[in-house]
Amino acid sequence: MNIADLRSLYKGHPGRKALVSEIDGKTSGKLFLRGLRASSAPLLISTLISDDGIGRPFLLILNDREEAAYTYHDLTQILGEGAVMFFPSSYRRAVRFGQKDSASEILRTEVLSTLDTLRNSELSVAMRPVVVTSPEALAEMVVSGDRLSQNSVCIAKGMQIDRDSLQDRLFDMGFEHVDYVYEPGQYALRGSILDVFSYSSETPYRIDFFGDDVDSIRQFQVDTQLSVEEKDSVVIVPELGVSAGSDGVTLLDFLPSDTVVVAKDTELVAGLIDNIMDSPDSMAARLRALDAESGGDSAGSPEIPMLASGEQFRDGISKLLVIETGSQLSGKSGTVIEFNTTPQPLFHKNFDILAEDIHNKQEAGYTIYI
């Protein structure tokens, strides 16, 4: 038996049919799926995401970054690479340590660019993004859609672009001019070739000009300099960090109105977001104290990150359809759909106990799938 066979069993489950019926036509409210254990929740949700599912964007919120990573891995195993996007915290360990991670910033920017494209185009049927995230990632505010559009450069094959003007634009957006690009936020110009490493891509772009015409656009590997994919068009996006005092919004503000939010416990998520913002040992609190001690002259200190509150999270999801999969329904009551899964027993590598358990379940009338 493979994963596709297992998904087909979940598609035929009465609870799944009841869930699809409840979701149909709803854009807000709350549903509660009781009794889903371990990977049964992402497996069930994957049947809604697939081509024969409900055809809507999904945001899955797990209780911490480790759970989010496991769920992301589950969904990529079920749906395939590229079908799911990961929205992590932009910090290497936690916000309070203040160590930004370029790879995470690329993933965040990729999600924002995709959602912004969906929001401003006619691609709602073709594009149904699935985003997996955690409270610490949601707590970090992001740039508004207007600012994202203003700070993005779209380049397509056949376009006429003045290279000097493009260089000036990249410099104004915060890109660094180097001999060879090797990390996001850099660009290099050699003759008719412009290499640029956008924050919206895991690999840099190589744009080949013929005069002022864009002749070709390719993605290439930094270490080998070999092309990996040819593109018809690309969007170049700078670093999109939001510091205190800036105009920032939450990821929820980027989501289409028909997005389905899946979480174990939305009230727990709101509490965790509040804890990130109000924790006395958070980086924001320490930087505010440093700023106060220096009389506002803390040059060279890291920027204070702009963080959302639990109330902003509650307000954002109140406008969307929410599915909870935890042990108990949080907040206002909603429709409850029962699933009778149980945790896998522990056999501690004792195959005799495993064989006995399988035999007992067969005797009880269960069908066993391995």
Side-chain angles (χ1 to χ4, degrees), residues 181 196-198 201-206 218-222:
V181 301
V196 58
F197 207 145
S198 169
S201 172
E202 295 181 24
T203 53
Y205 301 124
R206 177 158 289 160
R218 291 162 289 165
Q219 285 182 281
F220 68 95
Q221 294 288 355
V222 172

Side-chain angles (χ1 to χ4, degrees), residues 204 206 218-229:
R206 177 158 289 160
R218 291 162 289 165
Q219 285 182 281
F220 68 95
Q221 294 288 355
V222 172
D223 51 351
T224 64
Q225 295 291 301
L226 296 177
S227 300
V228 292
E229 184 181 359

